[in-house]
Amino acid sequence: MTIKLGVPSKGRLMEKTFDWFGARGISLARSGSDREYAGKVEGIEGVELVLLSAGEIPRELSAGRIHLGVTGTDLVREKLGQWEQQVQEIACLGFGGADLILAVPHCWVDVETLDDLDAAAAAFRKEHGFRLRIATKYHRLVREFLREAGVADYQLVDSQGATEGTIKNLTAEAVADITSTGETLRANHLKILSDGLMLKSQATLFRARKAPMDDTERATMDQLLTQLNVEA
């Protein structure tokens, strides 16, 4: 039996994750072409590399099918209800940083805060007969954030891509999305509310709380975490 380590299967997240482990004496690599999802691990025995999409990793951790996984903080908190009962945050890896924010059109000169948004949403519903639409793929996190802020008169519109363009396309009035530089927001004439930061996310190493392990696997896990210089 082996410890299964889930890592993003492509792009900069995969490359940066390989670099992070490599700097700690553990080499991760694909074992075939870029289209194959097989991987290999050198520098420690008893660890298997599992290449997955970043969005799949929270689910696989929760189900206990992998023991460790690298994915974004935002994905874990969005996809796993009561996430702390399902996974343990082991180490922030220092890359893949982005902010989950709430933004409105720049021309909304009277809307700078969540209180302003709440008032605007109530006025919008009264004028148009339906609730103000917020485009996002982060339904759980946005609902929790707006509930705590006391914003009620809104509806979420699912958007899995090009979220910033939904306002121009008249399918939403505001957006809640991940941004790293804010350039796309500015290009689409959007502004972040002054108190509209919901979450600061980055690539993080998580440990599954429910993944079964025998004595050999526990010893391998301890050795791996020691070599990575992290605690669990």
Side-chain angles (χ1 to χ4, degrees):
M1 298 295 289
T2 59
I3 293 296
K4 293 185 177 181
L5 168 64
V7 167
S9 59
K10 60 184 178 180
R12 287 182 59 82
L13 273 181
M14 182 189 74
E15 295 168 2
K16 292 284 190 180
T17 300
F18 284 7
D19 290 344
W20 189 88
F21 277 84
R24 289 154 180 81
I26 297 175
S27 173
L28 307 180
R30 288 184 180 275
S31 58
S33 71
D34 288 347
R35 294 184 180 275
E36 294 181 46
Y37 291 93
K40 60 182 179 180
V41 180
E42 296 178 352
I44 187 171
E45 297 293 328
V47 178
E48 176 185 350
L49 178 61
V50 182
L51 295 171
L52 301 162
S53 73
E56 290 177 308
I57 289 173
R59 180 193 66 200
E60 296 302 292
L61 285 166
S62 175
R65 288 188 286 266
I66 59 176
H67 299 86
L68 295 166
V70 174
T71 189
T73 316
D74 59 315
L75 294 174
V76 164
R77 298 192 185 192
E78 171 63 24
K79 293 178 177 292
L80 303 182
Q82 298 181 316
W83 66 274
E84 290 173 302
Q85 297 180 18
Q86 301 183 61
V87 299
Q88 179 185 3
E89 191 174 278
I90 298 297
C92 296
L93 306 191
F95 56 85
D99 297 337
L100 177 59
I101 55 83
L102 186 61
V104 299
H106 199 272
C107 62
W108 288 15
V109 294
D110 294 329
V111 181
E112 299 289 343
T113 68
L114 289 166
D115 285 342
D116 296 337
L117 180 66
D118 185 43
F124 182 92
R125 186 178 185 184
K126 183 176 181 180
E127 179 178 352
H128 296 280
F130 61 92
R131 291 180 174 178
L132 182 146
R133 296 165 298 179
I134 302 174
T136 190
K137 63 179 179 181
Y138 294 94
H139 292 238
R140 184 195 305 276
L141 288 171
V142 174
R143 284 197 186 97
E144 291 176 354
F145 181 76
L146 293 179
R147 182 175 62 248
E148 292 178 2
V151 179
D153 271 329
Y154 71 91
Q155 58 180 313
L156 297 183
V157 177
D158 190 55
S159 174
Q160 295 300 318
T163 300
E164 293 86 353
T166 56
I167 294 177
K168 183 178 181 180
N169 294 334
L170 304 180
T171 55
E173 287 70 49
V175 302
D177 201 12
I178 282 285
T179 181
S180 54
T181 65
E183 291 182 6
T184 304
L185 292 170
R186 290 188 290 273
N188 285 276
H189 310 292
L190 302 176
K191 63 181 179 181
I192 302 172
L193 297 181
S194 62
D195 51 357
L197 175 62
M198 285 177 259
L199 175 69
K200 296 186 76 66
S201 179
Q202 67 174 297
T204 302
L205 177 63
F206 292 94
R207 179 176 180 173
R209 293 193 181 276
K210 299 177 182 178
M213 289 188 292
D214 59 25
D215 291 342
T216 300
E217 289 164 336
R218 289 190 185 92
T220 300
M221 176 69 79
D222 290 343
Q223 180 186 350
L224 174 60
L225 297 181
T226 297
Q227 194 160 337
L228 295 175
N229 195 27
V230 297
E231 297 182 359

